[in-house]
Amino acid sequence: MSTHKKHLTRRRVLGASAIGVAATGAAVAGGTGLLSSASAAAFGYSDDGRNHVVDTGASLVFKVSKSTGDITSLAYKGKEYEGYGGKHSHVESGLGASTVTIKRTGSTILVKVVHGAITQWYAARSGENNVYLWTDKKDASFTATRYIVRIKPGMFPNTGPDSWIEASDKVIEAGDVWRRADGTTHSKHYSGKRTIDYDHVGFTTGSVGLWLVRSNHEKASGGPFYRSLLRHSNDLGAGLYEILHYNQAQTEPERFGLQGPYVLAFTDGGAPSSSLSQANLDTSWVDGLGITGWVGKAGRGRVAGVGLKGMDAEYAYTVGFANADAQYWAKAAAGTGAFSCKGMLPGTYTMTVYKGELAVHTGTVKVTAGGATSLHSITVTGDPSAARTVWRLGDWDGTPGGFKNAELMTYAHPSDGRAAKWTGNVTIGSGGEAASFPAYMWKDVNDGILVYFKLTKAQAAAAHTLRVGVTDAFLNGRPRVSVNDWVSAIPSAPTQPSTRSLTTGSYRGNNHTFTFSVPTGAWQTDTSQYNVLKLSIVSGSTGSAHLSPGTSFDCVDLLA
């Protein structure tokens, strides 16, 4: 079990058929001819009147519309996989009328699609069953940045939490969350992975695999822990996504510029080659293609750190780098905390060290083209777990991991039949407190959770600070607390994403800690009696059920 998996499940209480059309008899760049996609073909391209037809010289023939730049056909070993619902594969939701050109440079065929502020590129390399893609977006004239590969129905098994059956499942929220007769919930939002957790996403029958290998996301937004659409399938078709900026649960401004390559890859059933992953991808062949905005290896730098001091061995640490133009991250080695981040664009970055998903150190670092920036050991000093406490419910790691229903919520709706009841009070010292405490709280569902605890005479004679850490919120929901007869003021709402998140597989927002100064007079004077902490959700907005104001918890503790 990975360290990350451990931290999501453990908490402490501390004191997805038709035959493809063959392109034959057409003129091809370089004088080569195209054969049926089901036979031994020659690498090259042709024109069928409506599309540029690219034969990879392997088992894949694909078509790009000459008018829109959509991929209109993906024929692998003679079988067509592309398209559903009258739509094709494209950037955004389809660009519409575009200027589309094609050229061959040696063993590479490059298609360029221009529409306003967006330029989309496709490349094929001789003998590979891959399509390489880049998206260059210059401004916010489109509201999102995504590429969707649309797959015909019935090509792959329709299974998983991100699959549903439109013919029988029932829509329960916003047209995109479904409930099955068995009580399980399904949605395109429920792929359940953070960006840092995956290199590729796709489908396989066991004999054919279709995959989308993600880019390095340097021009994306949301950071290493962002959760967004990865894939979906239903009885009408399937989709694979490369999401660079999406307004769902977004915590950062959009970045602009060239992003890629990301890779559409066919295999004989297995995972895509490891050579396509960001850690191993050789992009030297891209340098001479003339892709606008492309920065090759020589124009990039790296950052390397000796290590991190003061780490908690129970957690994975990540070092993130971000500025207005780019983002990167590197996993810190267990034990030493050593890290290395290569392929970075030149610039000055805010460097953030994360314990789990909680920022515990920040600094700045400068990256130069062709250079390597070396950093001495970094001492982590911003971990709130270091504070002395009377008691602690959960632990500080920037996630609700270990709390009731936390893991399920990354791939299910809160109303899922597998979820434990969201209600339930907690008594400190009884054992299993964290697992009994709800990961999320909503004003219209489980408002007013109680935490019972005792204090010693000395503890009751002093004022204490109560800390409530949250990871996200909906409709400005935030906690107000009372202890026995004492009631706190209403805290201000921190900045959080304005869209759904708690019901769409993500607890990731802007981590925030609310602090409440509880005076001496608030405590029980009889130390044999329990003190009662009540947590309530307040907001100036209204909603119903799981779309009422709510928040997700990281940790709750009482400082000594």
Side-chain angles (χ1 to χ4, degrees):
M1 182 181 287
S2 67
T3 303
H4 173 68
K5 184 74 170 180
K6 288 180 181 178
H7 92 256
L8 278 177
T9 57
R10 176 189 178 276
R11 284 285 182 152
R12 298 195 295 253
V13 174
L14 300 178
S17 115
I19 300 301
V21 178
T24 59
V28 180
T32 59
L34 286 175
L35 304 178
S36 165
S37 61
S39 58
F43 177 71
Y45 67 86
S46 65
D47 185 332
D48 72 0
R50 293 184 176 181
N51 306 281
H52 294 300
V53 184
V54 180
D55 196 317
T56 64
S59 298
L60 174 63
V61 176
F62 67 93
K63 297 181 180 182
V64 179
S65 169
K66 293 164 58 180
S67 60
T68 66
D70 290 2
I71 289 182
T72 59
S73 173
L74 290 165
Y76 179 66
K77 294 185 176 181
K79 180 179 286 189
E80 181 63 68
Y81 286 82
E82 198 281 329
Y84 70 81
K87 296 181 179 180
H88 292 294
S89 304
H90 42 222
V91 68
E92 305 293 1
S93 295
L95 297 177
S98 304
T99 301
V100 185
T101 56
I102 189 170
K103 69 176 183 178
R104 174 174 174 171
T105 302
S107 60
T108 301
I109 294 171
L110 184 67
V111 181
K112 180 182 181 181
V113 182
V114 180
H115 179 99
I118 288 184
T119 301
Q120 180 70 26
W121 304 83
Y122 305 100
R125 303 196 72 203
S126 180
E128 296 186 8
N129 291 313
N130 305 323
V131 183
Y132 296 84
L133 304 92
W134 294 259
T135 301
D136 187 0
K137 184 175 179 181
K138 294 179 173 58
D139 60 35
S141 52
F142 284 81
T143 58
T145 311
R146 72 167 188 178
Y147 196 93
I148 179 171
V149 180
R150 301 185 188 271
I151 305 167
K152 294 176 63 174
M155 307 307 292
F156 297 99
N158 184 32
T159 60
D162 46 17
S163 70
W164 65 93
I165 305 170
E166 296 214 8
S168 58
D169 292 348
K170 180 182 178 181
V171 176
I172 62 170
E173 182 180 296
D176 60 9
V177 182
W178 305 73
R179 177 178 287 119
R180 195 153 293 170
D182 63 2
T184 62
T185 52
H186 302 257
S187 175
K188 62 184 180 181
H189 298 288
Y190 296 160
S191 295
K193 292 182 182 294
R194 310 171 303 172
T195 304
I196 195 174
D197 294 330
Y198 77 99
D199 287 315
H200 59 269
V201 63
F203 302 96
T204 182
T205 64
S207 58
V208 176
L210 177 52
W211 313 93
L212 195 60
V213 184
R214 73 164 176 84
S215 65
N216 66 358
H217 277 221
E218 70 181 4
K219 294 294 184 179
S221 52
F225 313 121
Y226 184 59
R227 296 175 187 267
S228 191
L229 310 183
L230 299 183
R231 69 170 207 173
H232 81 266
S233 66
N234 55 49
D235 42 330
L236 305 180
L240 298 175
Y241 299 89
E242 167 79 335
I243 300 290
L244 301 175
H245 181 81
Y246 196 60
N247 291 327
Q248 196 86 38
Q250 186 54 252
T251 59
E252 287 188 310
E254 187 171 12
R255 293 181 173 90
F256 302 105
L258 182 71
Q259 177 65 67
Y262 46 105
V263 189
L264 178 61
F266 278 89
T267 71
D268 289 338
S273 169
S274 62
S275 64
L276 297 178
S277 70
Q278 287 303 309
N280 303 318
L281 187 63
D282 176 13
T283 58
S284 59
W285 57 276
V286 182
D287 291 353
L289 295 180
I291 294 178
T292 306
W294 174 254
V295 179
K297 183 178 179 179
R300 297 171 177 270
R302 62 186 290 261
V303 174
V306 172
L308 302 174
K309 294 181 178 179
M311 294 193 302
D312 184 331
E314 295 292 331
Y315 293 93
Y317 282 72
T318 303
V319 183
F321 305 88
N323 60 25
D325 297 319
Q327 62 169 9
Y328 307 94
W329 53 83
K331 295 180 180 180
T336 66
F339 60 91
S340 178
C341 190
K342 63 180 181 179
M344 300 173 66
L345 293 172
T348 298
Y349 295 85
T350 296
M351 179 180 69
T352 305
V353 178
Y354 297 94
K355 169 196 174 185
E357 297 184 16
L358 183 68
V360 291
H361 176 86
T362 58
T364 58
V365 63
K366 185 176 181 179
V367 177
T368 58
T373 302
S374 298
L375 302 176
H376 296 298
S377 291
I378 297 170
T379 300
V380 174
T381 58
D383 187 351
S385 297
R388 292 178 56 248
T389 62
V390 177
W391 53 262
R392 177 170 293 153
L393 187 57
D395 202 358
W396 297 93
D397 71 345
T399 85
F403 286 143
K404 186 194 294 185
N405 295 324
E407 189 174 11
L408 178 65
M409 288 304 94
T410 63
Y411 58 89
H413 190 269
S415 67
D416 193 283
R418 295 165 291 182
K421 290 183 178 180
W422 287 101
T423 55
N425 301 323
V426 173
T427 300
I428 299 299
S430 62
E433 296 94 332
S436 299
F437 187 80
Y440 300 168
M441 186 183 293
W442 297 267
K443 188 171 181 61
D444 205 32
V445 175
N446 59 341
D447 193 43
I449 295 294
L450 305 179
V451 178
Y452 298 92
F453 62 96
K454 292 181 178 179
L455 297 177
T456 66
K457 185 175 181 179
Q459 290 167 342
H464 296 276
T465 297
L466 177 74
R467 301 187 299 185
V468 181
V470 302
T471 70
D472 197 4
F474 181 62
L475 290 180
N476 289 322
R478 66 269 196 194
R480 185 183 194 182
V481 304
S482 65
V483 177
N484 301 318
D485 294 328
W486 177 84
V487 182
S488 75
I490 297 176
S492 299
T495 301
Q496 296 288 7
S498 60
T499 58
R500 292 177 298 155
S501 55
L502 305 183
T503 61
T504 55
S506 180
Y507 54 76
R508 181 68 185 170
N510 293 309
N511 289 311
H512 181 82
T513 301
F514 295 91
T515 58
F516 303 94
S517 299
V518 185
T520 305
W523 313 120
Q524 284 278 7
T525 56
D526 184 346
T527 59
S528 68
Q529 298 297 309
Y530 282 103
N531 291 274
V532 183
L533 165 65
K534 183 178 181 180
L535 293 158
S536 303
I537 297 297
V538 293
S539 174
S541 302
T542 59
S544 62
H546 299 102
L547 290 180
S548 64
T551 195
S552 48
F553 293 105
D554 179 9
C555 186
V556 181
D557 62 15
L558 185 68
L559 299 185

